[in-house]
Amino acid sequence: QKEVEQDPGPLSVPEGAIVSLNCTYSNSAFQYFMWYRQYSRKGPELLMYTYSSGNKEDGRFTAQVDKSSKYISLFIRDSQPSDSATYLCAMSVETSGSRLTFGEGTQLTVNP
Amino acid sequence: GAVVSQHPSRVICKSGTSVKIECRSLDFQATTMFWYRQFPKKSLMLMATSNEGSKATYEQGVEKDKFLINHASLTLSTLTVTSAHPEDSSFYICSARKGGSTGELFFGEGSRLTVL
């Protein structure tokens, strides 16, 4: 079993839709949870960073962490064509850790 | 914002040759940089942690003699793929933390290696 499971998609939605992206994990020691966005042939860029359980909102993006269920989510409101990318969840045990464990990424296409 | 730059972005080489990929932190110093490998539609796999002034720490299963890492300065780490084979073809990405061990991790734009 992989430590982090993420549906690779692809996911296709119309512009303006609410997008829900999810990851599940098996390692209960994970405490730091991140979402990265990766455009084609580019490196990942950090979107959201959360510690432990709870919600965090930044503009159109909301990250949720439910440690009891080992489940994290990223919601994108009012999705735009420019949001089309691969979204990777990542998590680590320590804040200083280099040992980010990534999901496989979900490929999202927002159609105008 | 912080920028991590990789060069070259794309490289094609023949089997048996060696290829060097550079990773630079452009506006901050990074005592530690990280090298990842990403196969198409797959997640990033950490290959090694590059430490300035000391030997790199390799992940289990990564051949240190095949993937040579040198962190010569606080802003530059290099990954050399030695005696490259077609199975080494991949997308290689580096990252570096800004602001010490708890700072944000910034990724380079990746280097696509194709070995013929």
Side-chain angles (χ1 to χ4, degrees):
Chain A
Q1 183 189 8
K2 296 177 186 175
E3 274 195 294
V4 179
E5 297 274 1
Q6 183 176 8
D7 187 343
L11 180 62
S12 182
V13 301
E15 184 174 356
I18 296 175
V19 176
S20 173
L21 304 167
N22 313 294
C23 289
T24 58
Y25 62 94
S26 57
N27 186 352
S28 57
F30 286 139
Q31 296 193 76
Y32 300 90
F33 305 90
M34 290 136 279
W35 284 96
Y36 287 86
R37 178 174 61 196
Q38 185 176 23
Y39 290 112
S40 182
R41 301 188 184 89
K42 299 290 185 182
E45 55 177 328
L46 181 65
L47 273 180
M48 301 287 282
Y49 176 97
T50 51
Y51 168 70
S52 196
S53 286
N55 294 357
K56 186 173 184 179
E57 189 173 320
D58 183 1
R60 296 186 293 112
F61 298 90
T62 300
Q64 288 186 351
V65 175
D66 182 348
K67 289 190 71 180
S68 63
S69 301
K70 297 190 181 69
Y71 186 88
I72 69 170
S73 301
L74 176 71
F75 297 96
I76 306 173
R77 290 184 300 281
D78 187 25
S79 55
Q80 303 294 309
S82 58
D83 295 328
S84 299
T86 296
Y87 290 80
L88 298 143
C89 64
M91 41 201 84
S92 68
V93 173
E94 308 162 344
T95 183
S96 61
S98 63
R99 311 183 79 83
L100 294 183
T101 302
F102 285 86
E104 288 198 2
T106 300
Q107 186 179 345
L108 170 68
T109 301
V110 180
N111 301 300
Chain B
V3 177
V4 175
S5 173
Q6 276 186 247
H7 177 80
S9 58
R10 289 188 179 188
V11 57
I12 301 173
C13 70
K14 293 181 180 179
S15 274
T17 59
S18 295
V19 173
K20 180 184 285 187
I21 301 169
E22 294 186 346
C23 178
R24 293 182 185 272
S25 55
L26 295 186
D27 61 354
F28 66 98
Q29 294 183 332
T31 54
T32 305
M33 292 184 177
F34 311 102
W35 287 96
Y36 301 83
R37 185 172 180 176
Q38 186 178 32
F39 290 104
K41 300 183 180 179
K42 295 293 183 184
S43 63
L44 281 74
M45 301 297 295
L46 179 64
M47 298 174 65
T49 302
S50 170
N51 305 297
E52 188 270 335
S54 64
K55 291 183 179 180
T57 304
Y58 289 82
E59 294 299 300
Q60 190 173 13
V62 178
E63 298 177 60
K64 61 179 68 176
D65 294 331
K66 176 143 191 82
F67 299 100
L68 299 179
I69 291 172
N70 183 26
H71 198 145
S73 75
L74 288 171
T75 59
L76 173 65
S77 174
T78 60
L79 168 69
T80 301
V81 183
T82 62
S83 186
H85 290 278
E87 57 265 31
D88 297 325
S89 299
S90 190
F91 195 51
Y92 293 89
I93 305 175
C94 71
S95 69
R97 284 194 185 278
K98 180 181 182 182
S101 61
T102 59
E104 182 177 340
L105 195 64
F106 290 91
F107 286 82
E109 294 210 333
S111 299
R112 181 162 301 284
L113 169 64
T114 302
V115 184
L116 302 177

